[in-house]
C-alpha cells in the first residue's frame, strides 16, 4: 500500500502509550506549561480501545510520584482499593506453606495502597483530558518517523485501519496519519514495538546487558460475602517456592480489593530453562495450593489477563534521550524488580521527561543536548537511589542453586554491590534447554487440568474473560519469520514452547500426518502480553500492533 | 437533505456486566461505554447520503453528561452537529418518555429523513425509534439493509422473516438500520480533532416544553422487576477420536448422552 497519502498532524509534544508513564508525563507537562504561561499542544495515542483497556498490574502503588504530581489525589477521587497494606510472605512447598518471619526492607509496603492499574489509568486520563490534552484511544503507533539518516525522531505514524487479511483496503479503509512533534515521548510499556525499531536504528540499548523480562497471569476474583478471608487481617500476600521451585524466578501475589474482590497472580521469570513449563498452568497450580485454594474457595473470576514486566533494571536502561525523543516507564527499564513495583518509577520518569521538555521549549532546542537533562534528572532523583542498590537483584535471582542466596545476601549488606558487579545475564530467548528423549516421553503423559468454568477456566474462557476482541479480517499482527523452523527444528528441540508460553492459545501446532505438522495462528486471541517475542528460542516471532482498538478490554485488573 | 440520526450510548457488551445490589439495574463503575453498534450503521448511511446529495447530518441523543462521548464519536465520523438532551429530570425514563423528548426536539428542527439503529444492544426494546415516528406522524420502516433516494421518494429493503420486502415511501420518513446496511467508517484522528470544534447544543426538559410529569424514572409506564444474567459460558470441550468416523460417533454420543439435545 505504497501509494496511500497520509495526512500530517503536528503537535508540540506527542506521547506514545497511555500507561502511567505517558499519562503522568503529559499531565506534568501541561501543568508546568500552564504555570509558565506556555502554550504547548500535547497529543497522546493509546492502542487500547480506551484508556485503561490495556493496563494490567498487581498492584501495590507507592504513592510517592502521584503525591508529587497531584498532591490532592485523594480529594480528586483517585480510585484506591485499600490503603491498608499489611504484608505477609510465605514460602510454599507442594502442600504446605511457611510464613517467613523476616521480610527484607524492600518488601515493606506500609505506606502504599492497593489499586487496580486499569482504574488508575482511566482516572489519570480524565485528569489529562481536563487539562486539554488530546487523547486518542484506539490508535496504535506503527511507524517511527525518523529524521534524515535515522539520526533523529520526528514523530510516529499511526496504523491504517480497514485493511483485510490479504493486505487489501476494505470499503471502510482509513489511512494512518503522521503525527509529528518537536518531542516524542515513548512510554509503550514492557517490550515496546516502536522502541524496538528505534533500538535497531539508533542503538539505544546496551548489547552486553540485554533487556530481560518476566511474564504474569492474573485474575480478579469475587469472593462470596461469607468468605472468612474478607474479614481477616491479611491484605497483601506474597509467595515464593511452589509451583515454580527454586530454580525459576518468580512468585505469587494476592491483594485484597474493594467489593469482596481480590487480585491474584503469578509472576514467572522468562529466563526459565524448561521448554515444557507453561506459565498459565503454573498459575493454576498456584491457585490450587492449599494456602491459596482455601482463601479463594467459592469465588468467581470476574476478569483475567496477562502481561510482561521488564525487570532488568539499572544496567539495562537504554539511552534515555535522543534528538527529538525521550523514553519513559517500563520501555526504559524503569521498573524496580526488587520492590516488584514500576508504577511509581514509570510516573516519575514521565514527569522528569516533562521537565526536560519544558527546558527544551525554553531553549528552543530539541536535540539530545537539551533533552539529555532528563537523563541527569533520572540520575539525581529517587529513581536512581532505588535502582542503584537493586542493580544486581534480578540478575542474582537468575543464578542457580545456593549461589542465588549468596548473591542476594551479599547485596543486602553492600548497597547492592554484592559479590560481582555487574552480574552478567543472558537474553531470555537464549535460556531454554533442549529436550532430552526422556523429557519428550514424559511430556506425552499430559496432566489434565480440571476446569469448573467459574473459578478454574481454560485458556479460551480466559480470553473471553479478558474481553479481548480484534477485527477478524486484518493482516496477522504476529510475524512468524520462518514457519519451517516451527514445524521441524523447534518441534524436535523444544516441542514448540510457543504453544505453552502464550497464555491465550494464539499458537497451535496441528499434526497433519506422520511427521507432518503445521503452525496455526489465532491472532484474535492475543492479550498483547508480548511473551512470544521475548521467549521464542529462535527469535522467530515479532509482535506488531494490530489495528488500533483491538486487544483486551481490561477494567479492573 | 437534512438528516437526523438518533444515537444512544450503551455499555460495551464485552465489558464486565454485573447486576447491582437493587437487582433491577447493572453496576456502572467498571463499564465501558460506546456508541450503540446499530447506530453506527445509521450514522454511516446518513453520511453517505449527505456525501451524494449534500445537506446536513445532525446527531440527536439523550442521556447523562458522558453521552457527549458518543455524540463526539459520530461527529468525528463526519456528522455536522449534535443535540444532547441532558437533564437529571429525564434520567431513568422508559422508551415512551425518551421518545417524547426526542420527538419534541424534532418538532422544532427541519428534517427530511431520520435514521436510527434498529435496536439498542443494552435495553433491547426496539421501541424508541418507532415511537418517535408515531409522535411525528411520519412513515417508519424498520430493519433496513438498503436505501435509495430519488427526488422526494425513498425505496428501502426491509428484512422480513425469510426474505426481503421492498418498500417505497414519501419523505420525510424514519427508518432503522439493520446489520448489512453498510460497513461503518472509523472515526479518524483528524476527524476527532475537528469534532471538538463542531457545534453541540444541550437541551433540558424545560427547553423542550415537555411536561416533567411524563418523563423520568418516577413516571415510567414499564418497570423492571428483576434482572438476571444469562447462564455462564461453559468451557469448550474437544471431541477426541482416531479418524473422522470415530470423531463423529463420539460427538453424537456426547450430544445424545451428555447434552441431551438429540
Ligand atoms: C502482573 C503484574 C504485577 C505488577 N505489580 C506491580 C505492583 O504491585 N506495583 C507496581 O508499582 N508495579 C507493578 N507492576 C509493574 C507496573 O504495572 C508497570 O511498571 C507499569 O505499568 C509501567 O507503566 P508504563 O506506563 O511504562 O507501561 P504500561 O502500563 O505497560 O503502559 C503502556 C501503554 O502503552 C500502550 N502502547 C504500547 N505500545 C503502543 C503503541 N505502539 N501505540 C500506542 N499505544 C501503545 C499500551 O497499550 C499500554 O496501555 C506489575 C506488573 C505486572 C504485569
Amino acid at each position: 500500500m505504497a501509494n496511500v497519502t497520509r495526512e500530517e498532524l503536528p503537535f508540540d509534544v506527542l506521547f506514545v502509550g497511555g500507561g502511567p508513564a505517558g499519562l503522568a508525563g503529559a499531565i506534568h507537562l501541561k501543568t508546568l506549561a500552564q504555570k509558565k504561561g506556555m502554550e504547548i499542544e500535547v497529543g497522546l495515542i493509546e492502542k487500547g480501545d480506551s484508556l485503561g483497556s490495556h493496563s494490567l498490574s498487581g498492584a501495590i502503588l507507592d504513592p510517592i510520584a502521584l503525591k508529587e504530581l497531584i498532591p490532592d489525589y485523594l480529594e480528586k477521587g483517585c480510585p484506591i482499593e485499600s490503603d491498608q497494606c499489611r504484608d505477609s510472605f510465605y514460602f510454599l512447598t507442594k502442600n504446605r506453606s511457611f510464613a517467613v518471619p523476616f521480610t527484607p526492607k524492600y518488601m515493606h509496603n506500609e505506606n502504599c495502597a492497593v489499586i487496580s492499574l486499569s482504574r488508575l489509568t482511566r482516572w489519570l486520563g480524565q485528569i489529562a483530558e481536563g487539562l486539554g490534552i488530546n487523547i486518542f484511544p484506539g490508535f496504535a503507533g506503527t511507524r517511527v518517523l525518523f529524521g534524515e539518516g535515522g539520526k533523529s525522531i520526528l514523530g510516529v505514524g499511526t496504523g491504517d485501519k480497514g485493511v483485510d487479511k490479504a493486505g487489501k483496503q476494505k470499503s471502510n479503509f482509513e489511512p494512518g496519519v503522521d503525527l509529528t512533534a518537536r518531542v516524542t515521548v515513548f512510554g509503550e510499556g514492557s517490550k515496546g514495538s516502536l522502541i524496538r525499531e528505534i533500538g535497531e536504528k539508533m542503538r539505544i540499548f546496551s548489547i552486553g546487558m540485554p533487556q530481560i523480562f518476566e511474564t504474569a497471569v492474573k485474575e480478579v476474583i469475587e469472593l462470596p460475602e461469607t468468605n472468612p478471608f474478607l474479614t481477616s487481617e491479611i491484605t497483601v500476600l506474597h509467595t515464593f517456592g511452589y509451583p515454580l521451585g527454586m530454580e525459576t524466578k518468580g512468585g505469587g501475589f494476592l491483594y485484597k480489593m474493594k467489593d469482596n474482590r481480590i487480585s491474584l497472580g503469578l509472576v514467572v521469570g522468562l529466563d526459565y530453562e524448561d521448554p515444557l513449563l507453561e506459565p498459565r498452568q503454573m498459575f493454576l497450580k498456584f491457585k490450587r495450593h492449599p494456602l491459596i485454594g482455601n482463601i479463594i474457595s467459592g469465588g468467581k473470576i470476574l476478569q483475567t489477563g496477562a502481561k510482561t514486566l521488564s525487570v532488568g533494571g539499572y544496567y539495562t536502561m537504554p539511552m534515555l534521550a535522543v534528538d527529538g525523543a525521550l523514553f519513559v516507564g517500563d520501555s526504559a527499564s524503569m521498573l524496580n524488580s526488587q520492590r516488584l513495583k514500576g508504577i511509581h518509577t514509570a510516573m516519575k520518569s514521565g514527569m522528569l521527561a516533562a521537565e526536560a521538555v519544558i527546558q527544551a521549549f525554553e531553549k528552543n532546542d530539541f536535540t539530545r543536548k537539551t533533552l539529555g537533562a532528563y537523563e541527569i534528572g533520572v540520575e539525581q532523583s529517587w529513581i536512581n537511589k532505588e535502582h542503584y542498590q537493586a542493580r544486581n537483584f534480578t540478575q542474582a535471582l537468575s543464578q542457580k542453586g545456593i549461589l542465588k542466596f549468596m548473591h542476594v545476601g551479599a547485596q543486602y549488606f553492600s548497597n547492592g554491590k554484592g559479590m560481582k558487579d555487574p552480574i552478567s545475564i543472558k537474553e531470555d530467548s537464549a535460556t531454554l534447554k533442549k529436550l532430552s528423549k526422556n523429557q519428550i516421553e514424559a511430556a506425552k503423559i499430559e496432566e489434565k487440568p480440571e476446569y469448573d468454568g467459574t473459578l478454574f477456566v481454560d485458556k479460551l474462557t480466559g480470553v473471553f474473560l479478558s474481553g479481548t476482541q480484534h477485527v477478524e479480517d486484518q493482516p496477522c499482527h504476529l510475524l512468524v519469520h520462518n514457519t519451517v523452523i516451527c514445524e521441524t527444528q523447534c518441534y524436535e528441540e523444544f516441542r514448540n514452547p510457543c504453544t505453552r508460553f502464550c497464555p491465550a492459545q494464539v499458537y497451535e501446532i496441528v499434526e497433519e500426518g506422520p511427521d507432518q505438522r503445521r503452525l496455526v495462528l489465532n491472532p484474535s486471541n492475543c492479550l498483547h502480553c508480548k511473551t512470544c517475542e521475548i521467549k521464542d528460542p529462535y527469535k522467530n516471532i515479532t509482535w506488531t500492533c494490530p489495528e488500533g482498538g483491538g486487544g483486551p478490554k481490561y477494567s479492573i485488573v | 437533505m437534512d438528516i437526523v440520526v438518533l444515537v444512544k450510548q450503551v455499555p460495551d457488551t464485552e465489558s464486565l456486566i454485573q447486576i447491582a445490589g437493587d437487582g433491577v439495574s447493572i453496576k456502572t463503575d467498571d463499564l465501558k461505554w460506546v456508541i450503540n453498534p446499530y447506530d453506527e450503521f445509521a450514522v454511516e448511511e446518513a453520511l453517505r447520503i449527505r456525501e451524494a446529495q449534500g445537506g446536513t447530518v445532525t446527531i440527536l441523543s439523550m442521556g447523562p453528561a458522558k453521552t457527549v462521548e458518543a455524540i463526539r464519536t459520530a461527529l468525528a465520523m463526519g456528522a455536522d452537529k449534535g443535540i444532547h438532551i441532558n437533564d437529571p429530570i429525564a434520567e431513568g425514563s422508559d422508551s415512551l418518555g425518551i421518545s417524547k423528548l426526542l420527538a419534541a426536539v424534532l418538532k422544532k428542527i427541519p428534517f427530511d429523513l431520520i435514521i436510527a439503529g434498529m435496536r439498542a444492544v443494552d435495553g433491547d426494546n426496539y421501541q424508541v425509534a418507532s415511537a418517535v415516528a408515531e409522535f411525528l406522524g411520519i412513515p417508519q420502516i424498520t430493519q433496513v439493509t438498503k436505501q435509495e433516494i430519488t427526488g422526494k421518494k425513498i425505496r428501502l429493503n426491509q428484512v422480513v422473516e425469510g426474505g426481503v420486502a421492498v418498500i417505497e415511501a414519501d419523505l420525510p420518513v424514519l427508518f432503522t438500520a439493520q446489520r448489512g446496511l453498510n460497513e461503518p467508517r472509523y472515526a479518524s484522528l483528524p476527524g476527532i480533532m475537528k469534532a471538538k470544534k463542531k457545534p453541540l447544543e444541550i437541551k433540558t426538559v424545560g427547553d423542550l416544553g415537555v411536561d416533567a410529569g411524563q418523563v423520568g424514572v418516577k413516571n415510567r409506564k414499564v418497570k423492571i422487576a428483576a434482572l438476571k444474567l444469562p447462564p455462564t459460558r461453559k468451557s469448550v470441550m474437544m471431541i477426541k477420536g482416531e479418524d473422522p468416523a470415530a470423531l463423529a460417533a463420539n460427538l453424537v454420543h456426547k450430544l445424545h448422552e451428555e447434552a441431551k439435545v438429540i
Side-chain angles (χ1 to χ4, degrees):
Chain A
M1 243 172 290
N3 50 1
V4 172
T5 43
R6 295 182 195 285
E7 205 167 319
E8 182 187 327
L9 214 59
F11 285 98
D12 292 318
V13 183
L14 173 69
F15 286 82
V16 181
L23 282 167
I27 291 171
H28 197 49
L29 177 63
K30 203 71 185 178
T31 315
L32 287 176
Q34 280 176 359
K35 271 193 200 137
K36 293 181 176 252
M38 297 161 80
E39 283 276 337
I40 298 185
E41 188 84 321
V42 181
L44 183 150
I45 55 169
E46 163 57 48
K47 67 177 160 67
D49 76 318
S50 61
L51 286 183
S53 276
H54 289 185
S55 297
L56 180 148
S57 190
I60 296 178
L61 173 76
D62 180 340
I64 174 168
L66 183 57
K67 275 184 190 155
E68 288 174 28
L69 182 69
I70 307 168
D72 55 347
Y73 66 99
L74 289 175
E75 291 78 49
K76 287 215 163 87
C78 174
I80 301 277
E81 298 291 327
S82 161
D83 55 8
Q84 302 287 313
C85 289
R86 285 184 297 272
D87 289 285
S88 51
F89 194 36
Y90 286 89
F91 171 69
L92 305 185
T93 62
K94 188 157 193 281
N95 294 312
R96 301 182 61 188
S97 52
F98 304 90
V100 179
F102 163 81
T103 48
K105 56 181 181 284
Y106 45 75
M107 294 278 297
H108 292 194
N109 292 307
E110 292 92 22
N111 301 316
C112 298
V114 177
I115 57 143
S116 145
L117 185 62
S118 186
R119 279 188 166 158
L120 182 79
T121 307
R122 245 182 297 156
W123 174 77
L124 285 172
Q126 284 162 12
I127 304 238
E129 232 153 34
L131 287 166
I133 294 161
N134 301 288
I135 299 183
F136 304 107
F139 290 89
T142 58
R143 294 165 290 125
V144 181
L145 307 175
F146 289 102
E148 228 170 276
K151 292 202 165 59
S152 63
I153 290 173
L154 307 178
V156 158
T158 62
D160 295 338
K161 294 183 176 181
V163 179
D164 74 6
K165 272 202 170 75
K168 290 209 194 66
Q169 298 180 5
K170 294 190 272 191
S171 68
N172 62 350
F173 175 70
E174 183 64 48
V177 292
D178 287 348
L179 300 171
T180 54
R182 313 291 268 292
V183 187
T184 307
V185 183
F186 291 85
E188 297 177 277
S190 171
K191 199 71 189 173
S193 44
L194 294 177
I195 204 172
R196 173 186 62 224
E197 209 182 317
I198 298 167
E200 284 160 11
K201 262 235 161 77
M202 302 179 112
R203 307 238 163 267
I204 57 169
F205 289 106
S206 140
I207 299 169
M209 274 291 180
Q211 296 260 302
I212 51 170
F213 300 87
E214 293 177 357
T215 193
V217 180
K218 134 157 208 195
E219 290 173 350
V220 170
I221 296 175
E222 185 180 61
L223 299 179
E225 261 163 51
T226 50
N227 187 307
F229 178 72
L230 294 172
T231 46
S232 75
E233 269 291 291
I234 303 173
T235 56
V236 171
L237 189 154
H238 287 112
T239 71
F240 70 110
Y242 183 84
L244 296 174
M246 297 313 289
E247 298 300 347
T248 302
K249 262 190 311 200
F253 63 85
L254 190 159
Y255 309 142
K256 202 184 272 178
M257 300 170 72
K258 276 204 297 226
D259 301 331
N260 306 340
R261 295 172 180 178
I262 58 155
S263 158
L264 183 73
L266 183 78
V267 182
V268 181
L270 281 176
D271 59 346
Y272 67 81
E273 295 181 341
D274 178 5
L276 299 178
L277 186 148
E278 182 160 350
R280 191 174 185 280
Q281 222 38 63
M282 289 289 149
F283 173 63
L284 295 182
K285 282 190 174 173
F286 168 65
K287 279 176 79 174
R288 290 186 197 279
H289 185 279
L291 178 74
I292 306 300
N294 280 338
I295 293 176
I296 62 175
S297 85
K300 174 178 168 231
I301 305 170
L302 296 180
Q303 202 164 78
T304 164
K307 197 165 161 92
T308 52
L309 308 78
S310 67
V311 293
Y314 186 77
Y315 285 120
T316 65
M317 281 185 197
M319 189 190 273
L320 298 178
V322 297
D323 291 356
L326 298 170
F327 311 108
V328 297
D330 270 18
S331 285
S333 279
M334 290 289 157
L335 181 138
N336 178 351
S337 70
Q338 194 179 47
R339 294 185 67 201
L340 307 163
K341 289 185 185 62
I343 301 171
H344 65 312
T345 44
M347 291 180 76
K348 181 68 180 178
S349 68
M351 291 161 70
L352 292 166
E355 288 164 24
V357 170
I358 291 281
Q359 287 186 30
F361 274 93
E362 282 170 345
K363 293 188 183 152
N364 198 27
D365 173 60
F366 304 95
T367 65
R368 181 175 153 81
K369 207 171 113 213
T370 309
L371 290 177
Y374 165 51
E375 255 174 24
I376 299 166
V378 170
E379 229 166 83
Q380 292 174 346
S381 72
W382 51 257
I383 296 187
N384 205 32
K385 253 194 232 136
E386 274 196 19
H387 262 280
Y388 188 68
Q389 52 89 27
R391 65 193 178 280
N392 287 308
F393 184 73
T394 309
Q395 288 77 357
L397 290 188
S398 291
Q399 307 300 311
K400 303 296 161 195
I402 190 81
L403 199 58
K404 173 189 331 243
F405 300 102
M406 291 168 64
H407 277 297
V408 171
Q411 287 168 17
Y412 197 74
F413 296 106
S414 64
N415 194 30
K417 186 167 188 304
M419 306 189 299
K420 185 163 183 266
D421 181 21
I423 302 178
S424 52
I425 34 164
K426 276 199 258 185
E427 264 186 295
D428 296 321
S429 58
T431 59
L432 285 185
K433 291 234 162 83
K434 286 181 191 158
L435 287 170
S436 67
K437 279 230 164 58
N438 289 345
Q439 280 173 301
I440 291 173
E441 283 309 309
K444 283 186 188 146
I445 318 159
E446 255 178 71
E447 273 179 73
K448 284 231 184 62
E450 300 217 341
Y451 303 117
D452 60 12
T454 313
L455 187 55
F456 290 90
V457 300
D458 60 14
K459 278 189 187 173
L460 291 181
T461 309
V463 172
F464 173 75
L465 288 171
S466 70
T468 298
Q469 253 190 348
H470 291 85
V471 173
E472 288 283 336
D473 191 11
Q474 64 170 308
C476 183
H477 71 281
L478 299 152
L479 313 179
V480 181
H481 304 292
N482 181 352
T483 52
V484 175
I485 295 184
C486 314
E487 287 148 12
T488 55
Q489 194 180 355
C490 185
Y491 177 82
E492 295 300 331
E493 294 180 342
F494 302 110
R495 283 292 189 273
N496 302 102
C498 59
T499 59
R500 287 176 291 276
F501 56 58
C502 172
Q505 212 163 310
V506 169
Y507 300 90
E508 286 181 294
I509 293 284
V510 179
E511 300 280 346
E512 297 216 304
D515 232 20
Q516 277 250 322
R517 55 196 73 82
R518 191 166 51 92
L519 176 71
V520 175
L521 295 177
N522 310 304
S524 298
N525 289 355
C526 178
L527 301 175
H528 297 206
C529 77
K530 305 181 182 174
T531 304
C532 53
E533 176 170 324
I534 297 165
K535 191 61 184 165
D536 185 74
Y538 305 95
K539 295 198 190 178
N540 198 13
I541 305 171
T542 301
W543 192 96
T544 64
C545 286
E547 185 175 297
K553 289 190 181 165
Y554 299 142
S555 58
I556 53 172
V557 292
Chain B
M1 177 88 46
D2 291 319
I3 310 166
V4 180
V5 183
L6 309 182
V7 159
K8 184 178 187 189
Q9 191 184 38
V10 296
D12 184 338
T13 46
E14 295 303 309
S15 60
L16 179 65
I17 310 281
Q18 286 193 293
I19 293 170
D22 63 7
V24 295
S25 64
I26 57 172
K27 287 188 191 168
T28 52
D29 303 359
D30 300 306
L31 285 184
K32 292 196 194 291
W33 296 85
V34 295
I35 181 168
N36 176 40
Y38 289 91
D39 300 349
E40 284 187 15
F41 300 128
V43 174
E44 176 65 32
E45 203 61 17
L47 295 174
R48 289 186 188 190
I49 297 171
R50 187 197 62 191
E51 278 156 11
Q53 320 212 352
T56 61
V57 175
T58 302
I59 304 301
L60 172 58
S61 186
M62 186 190 126
K66 65 178 167 39
T67 306
V68 71
E69 297 159 14
I71 301 176
R72 290 267 179 231
T73 304
L75 295 176
M77 286 169 77
D80 301 289
K81 55 177 190 256
I83 302 174
H84 179 189
I85 307 171
N86 177 9
D87 191 332
I89 297 171
E91 254 174 64
S93 297
D94 59 9
S95 301
L96 194 65
I98 295 167
S99 320
K100 271 191 190 133
L101 290 162
L102 296 174
V105 172
L106 288 157
K107 279 180 184 156
K108 293 187 178 164
I109 59 171
F111 62 84
D112 302 298
L113 177 64
I114 301 170
I115 316 179
M118 75 157 196
R119 66 182 179 102
V121 298
D122 56 350
D124 242 352
N125 288 313
Y126 293 71
Q127 287 176 350
V128 168
S130 294
V132 166
E134 287 303 309
F135 282 127
L136 297 174
I138 58 170
Q140 52 161 308
I141 305 94
T142 54
Q143 310 201 41
V144 168
T145 53
K146 193 177 163 202
Q147 61 72 32
E148 213 181 305
I149 298 171
T150 1
K152 287 268 154 219
K153 277 206 181 326
I154 187 164
R155 232 174 115 91
L156 306 123
N157 282 11
Q158 179 184 43
V159 179
V160 293
E161 182 79 37
V164 170
V166 180
I167 291 170
E168 253 180 23
D170 288 331
L171 293 175
V173 305
L174 179 150
F175 78 79
T176 69
Q178 165 67 298
R179 196 177 292 281
L181 180 63
N182 55 44
E183 177 91 45
R185 70 194 62 190
Y186 295 90
S188 74
L189 235 149
I192 295 171
M193 292 295 280
K194 281 185 207 134
K196 293 185 192 222
K197 302 200 179 85
K198 288 184 178 170
L200 204 159
E201 274 177 74
I202 294 180
K203 301 272 187 208
T204 60
V205 172
D207 295 339
L208 301 174
V210 173
D211 174 9
Q214 299 198 337
V215 297
V217 71
K218 282 202 225 96
N219 300 303
R220 289 180 70 100
K221 294 218 166 23
V222 178
K223 293 203 169 65
I224 297 174
L227 280 184
K228 290 201 174 74
L229 287 172
T232 47
R233 217 177 90 125
K234 290 261 166 52
S235 308
V236 175
M237 183 188 285
M238 298 300 285
I239 308 292
K240 300 239 157 65
E242 290 295 308
D243 50 40
L247 277 168
N250 288 341
L251 176 61
V252 170
H253 180 79
K254 291 247 190 285
L255 290 174
H256 186 66
E257 299 293 318
E258 288 177 28
K260 298 199 189 332
V261 290
I262 53 171

